[in-house]
Short mmCIF file of all heavy atoms in Angstrom, two decimals:
data_model
loop_
_atom_site.label_atom_id
_atom_site.label_comp_id
_atom_site.label_asym_id
_atom_site.label_seq_id
_atom_site.Cartn_x
_atom_site.Cartn_y
_atom_site.Cartn_z
N ARG A 1 102.90 123.96 88.60
CA ARG A 1 103.64 122.75 88.83
C ARG A 1 104.13 122.77 90.30
O ARG A 1 104.71 123.81 90.71
CB ARG A 1 104.85 122.59 87.90
CG ARG A 1 105.53 121.25 88.03
CD ARG A 1 104.66 120.02 87.67
NE ARG A 1 103.85 120.25 86.48
CZ ARG A 1 104.23 120.24 85.25
NH1 ARG A 1 105.46 119.94 84.94
NH2 ARG A 1 103.47 120.42 84.19
N GLY A 2 103.97 121.71 91.03
CA GLY A 2 104.46 121.61 92.39
C GLY A 2 105.98 121.69 92.50
O GLY A 2 106.74 121.28 91.68
N LEU A 3 106.40 122.45 93.61
CA LEU A 3 107.85 122.60 93.86
C LEU A 3 108.18 121.68 95.06
O LEU A 3 108.33 122.13 96.17
CB LEU A 3 108.13 124.00 94.17
CG LEU A 3 109.63 124.27 94.43
CD1 LEU A 3 110.44 124.09 93.22
CD2 LEU A 3 109.83 125.75 94.89
N GLY A 4 108.25 120.39 94.76
CA GLY A 4 108.48 119.47 95.86
C GLY A 4 107.22 118.77 96.45
O GLY A 4 107.31 117.63 96.89
N GLU A 5 106.08 119.50 96.28
CA GLU A 5 104.83 118.90 96.80
C GLU A 5 104.46 117.65 96.01
O GLU A 5 104.05 116.61 96.51
CB GLU A 5 103.68 119.90 96.75
CG GLU A 5 103.89 121.12 97.73
CD GLU A 5 104.68 122.25 97.07
OE1 GLU A 5 105.14 122.08 95.93
OE2 GLU A 5 104.76 123.32 97.67
N TRP A 6 104.42 117.81 94.65
CA TRP A 6 104.10 116.69 93.77
C TRP A 6 105.04 115.55 94.05
O TRP A 6 104.63 114.37 94.18
CB TRP A 6 104.14 117.14 92.34
CG TRP A 6 104.00 116.05 91.31
CD1 TRP A 6 102.95 115.16 91.27
CD2 TRP A 6 104.88 115.70 90.25
NE1 TRP A 6 103.16 114.26 90.18
CE2 TRP A 6 104.31 114.59 89.55
CE3 TRP A 6 106.05 116.21 89.77
CZ2 TRP A 6 104.93 114.01 88.44
CZ3 TRP A 6 106.68 115.67 88.65
CH2 TRP A 6 106.10 114.57 88.02
N HIS A 7 106.26 115.79 94.14
CA HIS A 7 107.34 114.84 94.33
C HIS A 7 107.16 114.12 95.70
O HIS A 7 107.40 112.98 95.80
CB HIS A 7 108.71 115.45 94.30
CG HIS A 7 108.97 116.33 93.12
ND1 HIS A 7 108.30 117.60 93.07
CD2 HIS A 7 109.65 116.25 92.00
CE1 HIS A 7 108.67 118.17 91.90
NE2 HIS A 7 109.50 117.42 91.28
N ALA A 8 106.60 114.87 96.73
CA ALA A 8 106.47 114.24 97.95
C ALA A 8 105.29 113.29 98.07
O ALA A 8 105.16 112.50 99.02
CB ALA A 8 106.30 115.38 99.03
N GLU A 9 104.38 113.27 97.04
CA GLU A 9 103.23 112.45 97.06
C GLU A 9 103.50 110.98 96.74
O GLU A 9 102.87 110.09 97.21
CB GLU A 9 102.23 112.94 96.01
CG GLU A 9 101.56 114.22 96.31
CD GLU A 9 100.73 114.69 95.11
OE1 GLU A 9 100.91 114.14 94.00
OE2 GLU A 9 99.96 115.66 95.24
N TRP A 10 104.50 110.73 95.86
CA TRP A 10 104.63 109.45 95.23
C TRP A 10 104.78 108.30 96.25
O TRP A 10 103.97 107.35 96.19
CB TRP A 10 105.86 109.44 94.30
CG TRP A 10 105.85 110.51 93.30
CD1 TRP A 10 104.81 111.13 92.72
CD2 TRP A 10 107.02 111.23 92.80
NE1 TRP A 10 105.19 112.07 91.85
CE2 TRP A 10 106.57 112.19 91.86
CE3 TRP A 10 108.37 111.02 92.99
CZ2 TRP A 10 107.44 113.01 91.17
CZ3 TRP A 10 109.26 111.89 92.30
CH2 TRP A 10 108.76 112.87 91.40
N ALA A 11 105.78 108.40 97.09
CA ALA A 11 106.00 107.29 98.08
C ALA A 11 104.89 107.08 99.03
O ALA A 11 104.38 105.98 99.22
CB ALA A 11 107.40 107.56 98.82
N PRO A 12 104.33 108.17 99.68
CA PRO A 12 103.27 107.95 100.58
C PRO A 12 101.97 107.42 99.94
O PRO A 12 101.21 106.59 100.54
CB PRO A 12 103.02 109.29 101.25
CG PRO A 12 103.72 110.24 100.45
CD PRO A 12 104.84 109.53 99.79
N LEU A 13 101.74 107.87 98.69
CA LEU A 13 100.55 107.30 97.97
C LEU A 13 100.64 105.83 97.78
O LEU A 13 99.75 105.09 98.07
CB LEU A 13 100.48 108.02 96.69
CG LEU A 13 99.35 107.56 95.74
CD1 LEU A 13 97.95 107.77 96.31
CD2 LEU A 13 99.44 108.26 94.39
N LEU A 14 101.80 105.38 97.24
CA LEU A 14 102.02 103.97 96.99
C LEU A 14 102.12 103.19 98.33
O LEU A 14 101.55 102.12 98.43
CB LEU A 14 103.31 103.69 96.16
CG LEU A 14 103.20 104.31 94.75
CD1 LEU A 14 104.58 104.29 94.10
CD2 LEU A 14 102.21 103.48 93.89
N ASP A 15 102.85 103.74 99.29
CA ASP A 15 102.92 103.09 100.58
C ASP A 15 101.54 102.92 101.19
O ASP A 15 101.19 101.88 101.72
CB ASP A 15 103.79 103.86 101.52
CG ASP A 15 105.24 103.73 101.26
OD1 ASP A 15 105.62 102.90 100.37
OD2 ASP A 15 106.06 104.44 101.91
N GLY A 16 100.72 103.98 101.13
CA GLY A 16 99.41 103.91 101.69
C GLY A 16 98.56 102.84 101.13
O GLY A 16 97.87 102.08 101.83
N VAL A 17 98.58 102.66 99.77
CA VAL A 17 97.81 101.64 99.16
C VAL A 17 98.38 100.23 99.63
O VAL A 17 97.57 99.37 99.94
CB VAL A 17 97.93 101.79 97.62
CG1 VAL A 17 97.32 100.53 96.89
CG2 VAL A 17 97.19 103.03 97.18
N LEU A 18 99.66 100.06 99.55
CA LEU A 18 100.22 98.69 99.95
C LEU A 18 99.98 98.41 101.43
O LEU A 18 99.76 97.21 101.75
CB LEU A 18 101.70 98.72 99.64
CG LEU A 18 102.10 98.74 98.19
CD1 LEU A 18 103.65 98.80 98.04
CD2 LEU A 18 101.55 97.58 97.38
N LEU A 19 99.95 99.44 102.27
CA LEU A 19 99.72 99.19 103.68
C LEU A 19 98.28 98.82 103.95
O LEU A 19 98.01 97.97 104.82
CB LEU A 19 100.18 100.42 104.49
CG LEU A 19 101.70 100.68 104.58
CD1 LEU A 19 101.90 102.13 105.02
CD2 LEU A 19 102.29 99.70 105.60
N VAL A 20 97.38 99.52 103.33
CA VAL A 20 95.95 99.21 103.50
C VAL A 20 95.68 97.78 102.99
O VAL A 20 94.97 97.02 103.57
CB VAL A 20 95.05 100.23 102.76
CG1 VAL A 20 93.56 99.73 102.79
CG2 VAL A 20 95.17 101.62 103.54
N GLU A 21 96.29 97.52 101.79
CA GLU A 21 96.07 96.16 101.28
C GLU A 21 96.66 95.12 102.23
O GLU A 21 96.02 94.08 102.43
CB GLU A 21 96.74 96.07 99.90
CG GLU A 21 96.42 94.71 99.20
CD GLU A 21 97.04 94.63 97.80
OE1 GLU A 21 97.54 95.63 97.27
OE2 GLU A 21 97.02 93.53 97.22
N GLY A 22 97.81 95.41 102.81
CA GLY A 22 98.40 94.48 103.70
C GLY A 22 97.56 94.37 105.02
O GLY A 22 97.41 93.23 105.58
N ALA A 23 97.09 95.42 105.57
CA ALA A 23 96.34 95.41 106.81
C ALA A 23 95.04 94.63 106.60
O ALA A 23 94.64 93.78 107.38
CB ALA A 23 96.00 96.81 107.27
N LEU A 24 94.33 94.86 105.46
CA LEU A 24 93.07 94.18 105.23
C LEU A 24 93.31 92.69 104.90
O LEU A 24 92.51 91.85 105.14
CB LEU A 24 92.29 94.82 104.07
CG LEU A 24 91.80 96.29 104.49
CD1 LEU A 24 91.14 96.95 103.20
CD2 LEU A 24 90.89 96.21 105.63
N GLY A 25 94.49 92.41 104.24
CA GLY A 25 94.84 91.06 104.04
C GLY A 25 95.04 90.30 105.33
O GLY A 25 94.83 89.07 105.36
N SER A 26 95.44 90.95 106.39
CA SER A 26 95.60 90.29 107.68
C SER A 26 94.22 90.29 108.46
O SER A 26 94.00 89.38 109.20
CB SER A 26 96.58 91.07 108.54
OG SER A 26 97.94 90.99 107.99
N LEU A 27 93.40 91.28 108.18
CA LEU A 27 92.15 91.41 108.94
C LEU A 27 91.13 90.30 108.58
O LEU A 27 90.55 89.72 109.45
CB LEU A 27 91.54 92.78 108.67
CG LEU A 27 90.29 93.10 109.48
CD1 LEU A 27 90.53 93.04 111.01
CD2 LEU A 27 89.67 94.46 109.04
N ALA A 28 91.08 89.99 107.28
CA ALA A 28 90.07 89.04 106.88
C ALA A 28 90.23 87.66 107.58
O ALA A 28 89.32 87.11 108.17
CB ALA A 28 90.00 88.87 105.37
N PRO A 29 91.48 87.08 107.50
CA PRO A 29 91.66 85.76 108.22
C PRO A 29 91.59 85.94 109.72
O PRO A 29 91.21 84.94 110.46
CB PRO A 29 93.06 85.30 107.72
CG PRO A 29 93.74 86.53 107.24
CD PRO A 29 92.64 87.46 106.74
N LEU A 30 92.00 87.11 110.28
CA LEU A 30 91.88 87.28 111.67
C LEU A 30 90.46 87.13 112.10
O LEU A 30 90.16 86.46 113.11
CB LEU A 30 92.44 88.65 112.05
CG LEU A 30 92.15 89.15 113.52
CD1 LEU A 30 92.76 88.22 114.55
CD2 LEU A 30 92.65 90.59 113.66
N LEU A 31 89.53 87.76 111.43
CA LEU A 31 88.16 87.76 111.78
C LEU A 31 87.54 86.36 111.51
O LEU A 31 86.72 85.91 112.35
CB LEU A 31 87.42 88.88 111.02
CG LEU A 31 86.30 89.50 111.74
CD1 LEU A 31 86.80 90.17 113.04
CD2 LEU A 31 85.61 90.61 110.91
N ALA A 32 87.94 85.79 110.38
CA ALA A 32 87.38 84.49 110.08
C ALA A 32 87.75 83.37 111.07
O ALA A 32 86.94 82.47 111.35
CB ALA A 32 87.80 84.08 108.68
N GLY A 33 88.99 83.48 111.70
CA GLY A 33 89.37 82.49 112.58
C GLY A 33 89.40 82.91 114.03
O GLY A 33 89.90 82.25 114.91
N LEU A 34 88.75 84.03 114.30
CA LEU A 34 88.76 84.59 115.70
C LEU A 34 88.15 83.62 116.68
O LEU A 34 87.10 83.05 116.48
CB LEU A 34 87.95 85.89 115.74
CG LEU A 34 88.07 86.73 116.99
CD1 LEU A 34 89.51 87.30 117.13
CD2 LEU A 34 87.08 87.95 116.89
N GLU A 35 88.83 83.39 117.80
CA GLU A 35 88.30 82.46 118.82
C GLU A 35 87.60 83.37 119.85
O GLU A 35 88.10 84.26 120.47
CB GLU A 35 89.49 81.75 119.47
CG GLU A 35 90.25 80.84 118.53
CD GLU A 35 91.44 80.10 119.23
OE1 GLU A 35 91.44 80.12 120.52
OE2 GLU A 35 92.27 79.61 118.54
N VAL A 36 86.28 82.99 120.00
CA VAL A 36 85.42 83.72 120.89
C VAL A 36 85.18 82.85 122.18
O VAL A 36 84.63 81.82 122.10
CB VAL A 36 84.04 84.02 120.23
CG1 VAL A 36 83.22 84.86 121.17
CG2 VAL A 36 84.26 84.80 118.95
N HIS A 37 85.55 83.40 123.31
CA HIS A 37 85.48 82.66 124.58
C HIS A 37 84.23 83.16 125.35
O HIS A 37 84.28 84.09 126.19
CB HIS A 37 86.71 82.86 125.39
CG HIS A 37 88.02 82.46 124.64
ND1 HIS A 37 88.18 81.26 124.07
CD2 HIS A 37 89.07 83.24 124.28
CE1 HIS A 37 89.34 81.20 123.47
NE2 HIS A 37 89.92 82.36 123.62
N VAL A 38 83.09 82.51 125.06
CA VAL A 38 81.81 82.86 125.58
C VAL A 38 81.84 82.78 127.13
O VAL A 38 81.26 83.68 127.84
CB VAL A 38 80.69 82.06 125.00
CG1 VAL A 38 79.34 82.41 125.64
CG2 VAL A 38 80.61 82.25 123.46
N GLU A 39 82.51 81.76 127.66
CA GLU A 39 82.53 81.59 129.10
C GLU A 39 83.33 82.68 129.78
O GLU A 39 82.95 83.15 130.90
CB GLU A 39 83.16 80.19 129.50
CG GLU A 39 84.64 80.09 129.20
CD GLU A 39 85.04 79.97 127.76
OE1 GLU A 39 84.16 79.81 126.89
OE2 GLU A 39 86.19 80.06 127.38
N ALA A 40 84.32 83.30 129.14
CA ALA A 40 85.03 84.39 129.74
C ALA A 40 84.16 85.62 129.64
O ALA A 40 84.22 86.49 130.62
CB ALA A 40 86.35 84.62 128.99
N MET A 41 83.38 85.78 128.65
CA MET A 41 82.48 86.88 128.54
C MET A 41 81.45 86.87 129.70
O MET A 41 81.18 87.89 130.29
CB MET A 41 81.84 87.00 127.17
CG MET A 41 82.73 87.26 125.99
SD MET A 41 81.83 87.29 124.43
CE MET A 41 83.21 87.88 123.35
N ALA A 42 80.96 85.64 129.90
CA ALA A 42 79.97 85.55 131.00
C ALA A 42 80.62 85.80 132.39
O ALA A 42 80.01 86.50 133.21
CB ALA A 42 79.40 84.12 130.96
N ARG A 43 81.89 85.34 132.53
CA ARG A 43 82.56 85.56 133.82
C ARG A 43 82.80 87.06 134.04
O ARG A 43 82.57 87.50 135.11
CB ARG A 43 83.84 84.83 133.79
CG ARG A 43 84.74 84.94 135.01
CD ARG A 43 86.15 84.56 134.78
NE ARG A 43 86.85 85.44 133.86
CZ ARG A 43 87.64 85.05 132.84
NH1 ARG A 43 87.73 83.75 132.59
NH2 ARG A 43 88.24 85.97 132.13
N ASN A 44 83.29 87.71 133.04
CA ASN A 44 83.53 89.15 133.16
C ASN A 44 82.34 89.96 133.29
O ASN A 44 82.33 91.04 133.99
CB ASN A 44 84.39 89.65 132.00
CG ASN A 44 85.78 89.08 131.93
OD1 ASN A 44 86.29 88.67 133.01
ND2 ASN A 44 86.35 88.98 130.75
N LEU A 45 81.23 89.47 132.80
CA LEU A 45 79.93 90.13 132.89
C LEU A 45 79.47 90.20 134.36
O LEU A 45 78.87 91.21 134.80
CB LEU A 45 78.96 89.46 132.03
CG LEU A 45 77.54 90.14 131.77
CD1 LEU A 45 77.74 91.48 131.05
CD2 LEU A 45 76.62 89.19 130.98
N ARG A 46 79.84 89.17 135.11
CA ARG A 46 79.37 89.09 136.42
C ARG A 46 80.53 89.50 137.45
O ARG A 46 80.40 89.19 138.66
CB ARG A 46 79.00 87.63 136.82
CG ARG A 46 77.68 87.29 136.10
CD ARG A 46 77.33 85.88 136.16
NE ARG A 46 76.03 85.61 135.65
CZ ARG A 46 75.73 85.56 134.36
NH1 ARG A 46 76.62 85.78 133.45
NH2 ARG A 46 74.43 85.40 133.97
N LEU A 47 81.54 90.04 136.92
CA LEU A 47 82.74 90.41 137.75
C LEU A 47 82.37 91.35 138.94
O LEU A 47 82.90 91.26 139.98
CB LEU A 47 83.78 91.03 136.91
CG LEU A 47 85.20 91.02 137.44
CD1 LEU A 47 85.71 89.64 137.62
CD2 LEU A 47 86.18 91.79 136.49
N SER A 48 81.38 92.19 138.66
CA SER A 48 80.98 93.20 139.62
C SER A 48 79.80 92.75 140.41
O SER A 48 79.26 93.48 141.25
CB SER A 48 80.65 94.50 138.97
OG SER A 48 79.43 94.39 138.15
#
């Protein structure tokens, strides 16, 4: 039986799941609505 190790898992395990779910919940709409500025890409491509 863990002496503090088992006990130390609970919060980070649950936090990790909730944080990943939160991050991916933000990522999907970010990517879906991402504004791509093609003209700026062309400008920067010729910067040199």
Side-chain angles (χ1 to χ4, degrees):
R1 187 62 44 77
L3 182 65
E5 294 90 352
W6 173 53
H7 312 72
E9 292 171 346
W10 308 328
L13 175 63
L14 294 170
D15 284 353
V17 171
L18 293 177
L19 288 162
V20 170
E21 186 178 351
L24 294 175
S26 294
L27 183 62
L30 168 62
L31 215 58
L34 192 64
E35 298 178 16
V36 182
H37 306 303
V38 175
E39 69 287 350
M41 291 180 176
R43 180 196 68 225
N44 292 335
L45 191 61
R46 290 171 173 76
L47 200 60
S48 69

